[in-house]
Amino acid sequence: MFYFFMALWLVASAATIALFISWLFSKVTKRDTRMKGKLTLYLFASSVVLLVAGLIVNGNEPKPVTEMVVNSKEENTIIDATKFSRISPEELIKLMGEPESKEDVEIKLTETRSYDATYYIYEDSKYEFVVIDSEVVRFTFNGAYQEKNDNVEVFFRMFNISPGENSEKVADTPASIRFQMVNDKIDDFWISFGDEYTIYKVTYNLKYFS
């Protein structure tokens, strides 16, 4: 919408300049300039209105997710995942804005144990949050292909995660790497490496998934 208003503003501005030049020429040649003068003023006023409208629309448009929640000094940080630990849906929306979509699902662990969950989805499923019992219990980032790296600190920095002294690597295969008891905010950090993508799951409350 912002670019639409800016395109109209450029057209109106160009027309205003052209008419102004024509008006000046008519002044010099002593022709009737009243109609051209009125048209010039009208187009000038229209261009100002369009410019103001475009600036207002731009200010109200949702900002990209990473502009909202990346406050780390680490240049390789994608998003600060610690901010979402067990926060309410209302707090999530304050940080991320309204989701593109929401999906209600049932997470079934056993025949007698299941949970009603809501997925909050942003940027075409790039960012997904699982809400159960009115709190965010998992964050998933569906990223581009990433080679597995023996330097696991790279993956922690991507999400501004600081492993605590009890952090433990519980799985390490060619296709995935997983940590548990990461710190007091994160129960589980699981990375799955695909041929064309990499999925990062940050779980804040593991009881809903095990």
Side-chain angles (χ1 to χ4, degrees):
M1 186 61 73
F2 168 73
Y3 296 106
F4 172 73
F5 277 109
M6 290 299 95
L8 290 179
W9 173 74
L10 287 173
V11 171
S13 298
T16 301
I17 293 170
L19 269 175
F20 180 71
I21 293 172
S22 177
W23 177 79
L24 284 178
F25 180 77
S26 297
K27 270 286 191 184
V28 172
T29 56
K30 297 182 180 180
R31 297 177 182 175
D32 186 7
T33 61
R34 286 175 295 179
M35 182 59 70
K36 289 181 179 179
K38 289 180 180 179
L39 284 174
T40 301
L41 287 174
Y42 174 76
L43 285 171
F44 176 74
S46 298
S47 67
V48 171
V49 169
L50 289 169
L51 177 60
V52 172
L55 292 174
I56 291 173
V57 168
N58 185 53
N60 291 332
E61 283 184 343
K63 298 295 186 292
V65 168
T66 49
E67 287 186 19
M68 299 180 185
V69 292
V70 174
N71 296 319
S72 171
K73 294 181 180 179
E74 295 285 354
E75 61 180 24
N76 294 324
T77 297
I78 294 173
I79 193 169
D80 187 349
T82 60
K83 287 180 176 290
F84 307 109
S85 180
R86 304 193 184 195
I87 64 175
S88 68
E90 292 76 20
E91 291 173 302
L92 174 63
I93 290 173
K94 284 182 181 179
L95 286 173
M96 299 289 294
E98 289 291 339
E100 290 179 356
S101 62
K102 292 194 291 186
E103 295 181 11
D104 294 324
V105 300
E106 181 185 19
I107 296 177
K108 193 170 185 178
L109 300 178
T110 66
E111 289 297 325
T112 58
R113 185 175 169 219
S114 63
Y115 298 97
D116 293 326
T118 301
Y119 280 76
Y120 285 65
I121 299 169
Y122 295 85
E123 294 191 16
D124 196 25
S125 296
K126 188 174 184 180
Y127 304 85
E128 296 180 356
F129 298 86
V130 181
V131 174
I132 301 177
D133 292 339
S134 299
E135 68 177 29
V136 176
V137 296
R138 172 175 280 176
F139 159 60
T140 301
F141 177 75
N142 296 294
Y145 171 74
Q146 172 83 32
E147 286 188 1
K148 189 178 178 185
N149 193 328
D150 291 334
N151 180 14
V152 296
E153 290 300 320
V154 171
F155 302 116
F156 285 116
R157 284 199 301 270
M158 289 171 66
F159 300 95
N160 199 34
I161 297 172
S162 299
E165 60 181 15
N166 295 322
S167 179
E168 180 183 0
K169 185 192 293 184
V170 296
D172 191 351
T173 71
S176 69
I177 187 169
R178 188 175 186 180
F179 299 86
Q180 290 188 344
M181 298 183 294
V182 179
N183 56 36
D184 60 348
K185 290 181 176 292
I186 297 170
D187 285 352
D188 188 274
F189 183 36
W190 192 354
I191 310 163
S192 300
F193 302 93
D195 294 332
E196 298 179 355
Y197 56 85
T198 304
I199 299 173
Y200 307 84
K201 292 184 179 181
V202 181
T203 302
Y204 307 112
N205 195 337
L206 197 56
K207 79 172 186 178
Y208 295 106
F209 304 95
S210 60

